[in-house]
Amino acid sequence: MVVLLILAAASPAALWFLLFYRSDRYDREPLRLVGRTFLAGALVGLAMAFVYSGPPFVTSALAMAVVVAPVVEEMAKFLVVKWTAYGRREFDEPVDGMVYAAAAALGFASVENIVYVISGWLESGTGAAFYVMAGRSILSVPAHALFSSLWGLALGWQKGRTGAKPVLIVIASLMGAMVMHGLFNYLVGVRLLGGLAFLVALGLAWRGVFLLIRRALAASPYAPENRG
């Protein structure tokens, strides 16, 4: 039963990754390298699930969810992409940053989802486990990729550029992802009007990221209109 729950809890991250991976229309990244980034993100998620408990001076659960977790998790995923993929020659178009950011984020989210689903099963049984998995598969798992895509697209855009502006854009996008992540965590726990605000904010975020992906694809050197 545990093995089936683990496989079921990990599968949404893989399915969502296919959506992000296929968004790279012109020169898709090698699956070996993308898989390594996904695995590194999962290992980071595993370490945080069982080792990292947050700064000792933060005792508020709300502060952990809204401030500490978004900052630590987004920075960790960012460093995973920098370590596994950023310096590789395959990372050569703006949309590649989104692909690798989504891979790291969904690797992280797969482990997080497994932990939540197994916890639900141990505490309340199989029904609760599948209830948790259904909600997180639709909202929380893709949200990780959504937030990280923001700094991933900035990282892809700035590669090869010099000066302060590209660096500042990456920093701003990373901070923006942290803010979006924190707002998501906060609104998840708020009922009624907060829940409506949550849906509106999430919809706007998805819309914004898809527009950025479209612009990144248009700037690809492999796009038909940019060749030759």
Side-chain angles (χ1 to χ4, degrees), residues 4-228:
L4 289 176
L5 282 175
I6 290 174
L7 291 174
S11 60
L15 294 173
W16 277 105
F17 174 70
L18 286 176
L19 173 65
F20 282 88
Y21 181 73
R22 290 177 64 84
S23 296
D24 186 2
R25 299 176 189 170
Y26 304 122
D27 185 49
R28 287 185 180 151
E29 301 308 289
L31 282 174
R32 176 184 56 81
L33 183 56
V34 173
R36 189 173 75 170
T37 305
F38 185 98
L39 179 61
L43 291 175
V44 168
L46 192 64
M48 288 192 177
F50 294 103
V51 178
Y52 183 73
S53 59
F57 54 84
V58 178
T59 57
S60 166
L62 181 63
M64 277 294 299
V66 175
V67 180
V68 177
V71 170
V72 173
E73 291 176 12
E74 293 304 324
M75 182 59 72
K77 291 181 281 186
F78 179 84
L79 292 175
V80 164
V81 173
K82 289 282 285 185
W83 173 59
T84 60
Y86 182 73
R88 300 293 297 261
R89 60 181 175 82
E90 294 90 342
F91 193 122
D92 61 353
E93 55 179 333
V95 78
D96 291 350
M98 178 274 296
V99 172
Y100 290 109
L106 289 168
F108 183 97
S110 67
V111 172
E112 188 180 72
N113 210 38
I114 289 169
V115 170
Y116 276 101
V117 169
I118 295 298
S119 296
W121 176 63
L122 292 174
E123 292 173 7
S124 306
T126 305
F130 280 97
Y131 177 80
V132 170
M133 183 168 60
R136 290 186 55 82
S137 299
I138 296 171
L139 297 174
S140 298
V141 171
H144 271 286
L146 174 68
F147 308 142
S148 298
S149 291
L150 188 62
W151 54 257
L153 286 163
L155 199 62
W157 174 82
Q158 71 88 43
K159 188 172 184 182
R161 300 174 187 265
T162 58
K165 182 180 177 180
V167 175
L168 291 175
I169 287 176
V170 171
I171 293 172
S173 66
L174 180 57
M175 293 178 65
M178 293 172 181
V179 170
M180 289 170 59
H181 195 152
L183 182 63
F184 177 92
N185 288 353
Y186 174 73
L187 291 176
V188 160
V190 180
R191 298 179 183 273
L192 197 56
L193 292 178
L196 294 174
F198 164 76
L199 292 175
V200 171
L202 196 59
L204 290 173
W206 276 108
R207 175 64 175 166
V209 167
F210 278 128
L211 287 175
L212 289 173
I213 291 173
R214 187 180 299 173
R215 292 186 63 181
L217 287 170
S220 170
Y222 301 103
E225 61 270 22
N226 296 332
R227 291 179 181 174

